[in-house]
């Protein structure tokens, strides 16, 4: 737990300090910010595993900040915090990619539970990315040997197919490398 970094963004210094103290007391490393520009800079220059973002940060929009964080670190879950909670804003936040949504004042046990669940999601996302990279190394195109014009054409088609979510049917004679081609599509 102690290795996990949490970014908290809120323009209310009192709320920010309460959150920082409560979350740090659970053993997490906490990075704080009171404005959007600083938060984006922090996101670019620091590794973190989860973000807590106020829906309204001065005149800025927390959902836009969440999207910026997502562009910088796509696997980082973001929990939106707000004192102005409505069903519409909760639905909109979730549609835009929020992992969770809490209305202030919230039960701190619920906050810690959402943090734990979000960190688990973050950890699983990193593991999936690592395993995909491992599979790519082991079964990538570079491991398929073939220099003929036909083989180059096949690899060109396989490369294009790998960039889509399409179903692919691979057929050919026994021993021609169908299984290698199939594994390289991941």
């Amino acid at each position: 737990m102690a290795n996990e970094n949490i970014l908290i963004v809120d323009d209310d210094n009192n709320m920010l300090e309460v959150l920082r103290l409560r979350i740090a007391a659970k053993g997490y490393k906490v990075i704080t910010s009171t404005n959007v520009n600083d938060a984006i800079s922090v996101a670019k220059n620091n590794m973190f595993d989860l973000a807590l973002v106020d829906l309204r940060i001065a005149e800025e929009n927390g959902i836009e900040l969440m999207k910026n964080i997502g562009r910088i670190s796509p696997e980082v879950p973001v929990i939106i915090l707000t004192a102005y909670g409505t069903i519409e804003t909760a639905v909109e936040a979730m549609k835009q990619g929020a992992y969770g949504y809490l209305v202030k004042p919230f039960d701190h046990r619920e906050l810690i539970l959402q943090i734990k669940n979000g960190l688990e999601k973050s950890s699983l996302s990193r593991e999936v990315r690592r395993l995909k990279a491992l599979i790519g190394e082991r079964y990538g195109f570079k491991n398929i040997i073939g220099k003929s014009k036909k083989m180059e054409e096949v690899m060109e088609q396989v490369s294009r197919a790998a960039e889509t979510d399409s179903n692919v049917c691979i057929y050919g004679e026994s021993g021609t490398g169908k299984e290698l081609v199939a594994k390289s599509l991941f």
Side-chain angles (χ1 to χ4, degrees):
M1 181 187 317
N3 292 330
E4 293 157 318
N5 294 320
I6 297 176
L7 171 64
I8 306 173
V9 185
D10 198 317
D11 60 346
D12 179 343
N13 285 321
N14 293 329
M15 176 59 75
L16 194 64
E17 185 63 10
V18 167
L19 288 170
R20 186 189 69 73
L21 289 171
R22 287 191 183 246
I23 293 168
K26 294 294 182 182
Y28 300 110
K29 294 178 184 173
V30 179
I31 303 167
T32 62
S33 176
T34 57
N35 66 68
V36 169
N37 290 334
D38 183 48
I40 291 170
S41 178
V42 167
K44 287 179 180 176
N45 297 314
N46 296 278
M47 295 293 296
F48 58 96
D49 303 292
L50 183 131
L52 299 172
V53 174
D54 191 23
L55 183 64
R56 293 185 187 168
I57 306 161
E59 301 301 316
E60 302 284 339
N61 183 325
I63 292 177
E64 288 304 314
L65 174 58
M66 176 187 69
K67 289 178 187 178
N68 282 321
I69 290 171
R71 284 189 278 280
I72 296 165
S73 300
E75 70 281 346
V76 171
V78 177
I79 299 171
I80 297 291
L81 308 174
T82 185
Y84 310 98
T86 65
I87 292 172
E88 292 80 19
T89 58
V91 168
E92 182 62 24
M94 300 306 268
K95 276 184 182 178
Q96 297 296 327
Y99 174 77
Y101 184 91
L102 289 171
V103 177
K104 298 174 189 174
F106 44 79
D107 181 342
H108 288 279
R109 291 173 297 199
E110 176 65 22
L111 173 66
I112 297 302
L113 179 63
Q114 281 205 27
I115 288 171
K116 285 181 181 178
N117 291 340
L119 289 169
E120 185 175 321
K121 176 191 180 292
S122 178
S123 175
L124 289 172
S125 294
R126 282 192 310 275
E127 182 67 7
V128 166
R129 188 172 18 101
R130 186 189 71 76
L131 290 172
K132 282 184 175 182
L134 187 63
I135 288 171
E137 281 178 26
R138 187 165 187 185
Y139 299 109
F141 296 124
K142 68 179 188 243
N143 294 325
I144 299 175
I145 301 169
K147 297 183 182 191
S148 71
K149 182 71 174 159
K150 281 288 187 196
M151 196 60 190
E152 287 177 12
E153 290 173 11
V154 167
M155 293 315 297
E156 169 79 23
Q157 290 176 341
V158 170
S159 177
R160 283 195 312 257
E163 295 173 3
T164 69
D165 288 333
S166 300
N167 293 327
V168 177
C169 178
I170 303 166
Y171 59 92
E173 299 291 324
S174 180
T176 57
K178 296 181 297 294
E179 188 174 343
L180 285 172
V181 168
K183 287 180 180 178
S184 71
L185 286 170
F186 289 104

